[in-house]
Amino acid sequence: MPGHNGRDLRLLQGNECCAEAAILAGCRFFAGYPITPSTEIAELLSEKLPQVGGKFIQMEDEIASMAAVIGASLTGAKSMTATSGPGFSLKQENIGFASFTEVPCVIVNVQRTGPSTGLPTAPAQADLMQARWGTHGDHPIVALYPSTVPEVFDLTIKAFNIAEQLRVPVILLMDEVVGHMREKVAIPHQSEIEIVSRPQPDVPPEEYLPYAAGPDGVPPMAPFGTGYRWHVTGLYHDETGFPTTAAPKVDRLMKRLYSKIESAADEITFTSDEFLDDADTVVVACGITARSARRSVRLAREKGIRAGMVQLKTIWPFPYDLVGDIAGRVDRIIVPEMNMGQLIGEVERAAKGRCEVVGYSRVDGEPIAPAEIVAKIEEV
Amino acid sequence: MAVPIDDYLRTQFMPHIWCPGCGHGIILGAVLRAIGRLDLPKDEVCIVSGIGCASRAPGYLDFNTVHTTHGRALAFATGIKIARPDLHVIVLTGDGDAAAIGGNHLIHAARRNVGLTTVMFNNSIYGMTNGQYSPMTPRGRYASTAPYGNVERNFDMCELVRAAGGNYVARATTAHARQLSNYVENAIQTPGFAFVEAVTQCPTYFGRRNKMGTPVDMIEWFRKNSINAAAAAKLDPADLDGKIIIGEFYRGDAPEYTEVYDEVIERAKEAAAR
Ligand SMILES: Cc1ncc(C[n+]2csc(CCOP(=O)(O)OP(=O)(O)O)c2C)c(N)n1
């Protein structure tokens, strides 16, 4: 259905929207393993990818899916996988490989209630820390977190662009309810969408150093099979890509991996807020909980309470400065989340004691209602 | 025909990490000679490995090379091959890498019949981690985690791959380097999944613990205890106990995965155009 501004207005499920956006972002390879509540992404991509000459494969498990995604990306294909809790756990070793070898890819985790098999069809927000620290060792990672179907569209495109720009795995965290709810979304025409592709070498193959980075910390990446023969390894490596154990080189690599994300932090930090200017109580939330938070501060305002909210669409790197700034200006930050308290730890780190930080956890497989947050806001 | 292989080596990274007398170099030489005889352009060859001594091979090779995670080489290789079917994707893997942690990926790569060539360096032991038993350690043999002799039976990976649907299956040992190289050459030329088991010596861990003597003694042992598939077929199975059966076991012509997927793309494009 043609909508406003020539855009295609559609009623889409979060998962469907993610798949549609992935294709528009340039995704041409998907490998996955079925798991509720993410499966619709795979199903839709099995249909759509071959229509645009892309490839879809259902692998034997999530470990293999993650591996295949990295393999495809090495040839230059924009690649993605989608999963949920147990599958996200299985992907972790290879996510670390992608992060360390700087292979762009997008991993969607439509969260369900864990641990273990948990409540397979119920929402939870308990993978925030796994998204950051699921794989072993220090490593750079980016995680984005939509709260509406239109945001799923926007952040899926951004996930691919950031993965390519920074050569980093980008995790798109979704809530089960966002993955499954249907909302109206205006799909822009392909020509209106900004697409970023990984930096390419501007030197001939003989001079190519696959891990020599420019000032932005991101090395150019030649696709396999184009004359640039290079080596990829999960061992510490120097600029040549070959293994090294030399302490200064080991140190330099780890610090570059962190700094490439830090120096792009402003560009990749997305938030949305309401009533922040004069607020003395601010609700910090993400995903579906941010929607309740938005409603709750409106309700609180009706009661004359100076409440505001900020939604973190970028969870990792965590926007410490932004949250710290707010902490310096307000009396209280409330952190509602559908877990036993994950986001709150980062908020406290950012607040550094400059204001009171109060958590609110709901862990029964049900989303947090606005009234629950209002009650918390009123509880001075 | 002698094929020069120096051009395929990143000699600047030598000496390699393998122990003196290790058979992995013999296998690598056989693989490179096969590539040389086929005259494959270096830019079109992609070598993928997992983790282990065998899996360190790609670092020394001047192709598109990936040293991945333990057991997962075939899954990475599947992604590469599907995204770029024109590349020759060769997987170099150990017996622990391919038969233990990566066993499921091997079964499914064979079942899908993805056009990959897999060379499994079977030294019957976990070399990299100092000699624990692997799924390829024969029953009764000693390993650092089998101090009283291995309780488990070893796998016949060639039968496994054949049953799973691979299009080419062969086995040779480091005592049969030329034959091994020919098998790898045939494997590379096979459309679909091809598997070559290369039985090799680990004098440091398997050899020492099992009192197999010098590396030369171990190769000599392979030579004496190997039997050709055709000859083996005529013998009583009981007489084959402890023998290494070598030869080409299977050549099939089941359709290769990426070719079948290309037809899917055609159908999908037609459906989209409708
Ligand atoms: C997930 C994981 N588990 C265990 C290890 C430790 N590990 C490294 S190599 C190896 C065994 C390698 O044996 P094999 O594949 O037979 O190769 P070889 O070293 O004998 O050539 C193991 C268990 C690892 N690196 N990663």
Side-chain angles (χ1 to χ4, degrees), chain A residues 55 60 94 229 231-233, chain B residues 43 65 67 69 82 105 112:
Chain A
K55 313 280 170 82
E60 53 274 19
N94 285 337
R229 295 187 302 277
H231 185 57
V232 183
T233 177
Chain B
D43 290 334
T65 52
H67 174 218
T69 49
I82 290 176
H105 306 309
R112 287 187 192 102

Side-chain angles (χ1 to χ4, degrees), chain A residues 93, chain B residues 24 51-54 70 94-97 101 123 125-129:
Chain A
E93 186 191 8
Chain B
H24 286 0
I51 295 290
C53 298
H70 192 27
D95 49 301
D97 206 51
I101 190 164
N123 57 8
I125 204 93
Y126 286 175
M128 182 63 98
T129 45

Side-chain angles (χ1 to χ4, degrees), chain A residues 60, chain B residues 103-114 164:
Chain A
E60 53 274 19
Chain B
N104 199 35
H105 306 309
L106 178 62
I107 293 171
H108 290 281
R111 176 183 61 81
R112 287 187 192 102
N113 209 22
V114 192

Side-chain angles (χ1 to χ4, degrees), chain B residues 70 95-97 99-101 122-127 129-154 205-206 209-210:
Chain B
H70 192 27
D95 49 301
D97 206 51
I101 190 164
N122 174 17
N123 57 8
S124 310
I125 204 93
Y126 286 175
T129 45
N130 302 3
Q132 300 77 26
Y133 69 88
S134 93
M136 302 306 290
T137 308
R139 179 179 277 171
R141 291 293 194 167
Y142 295 96
S144 68
T145 47
Y148 305 107
N150 185 21
V151 178
E152 301 177 22
R153 290 180 297 176
N154 58 315
Y205 297 111
F206 191 83
R209 225 171 238 278
N210 289 286

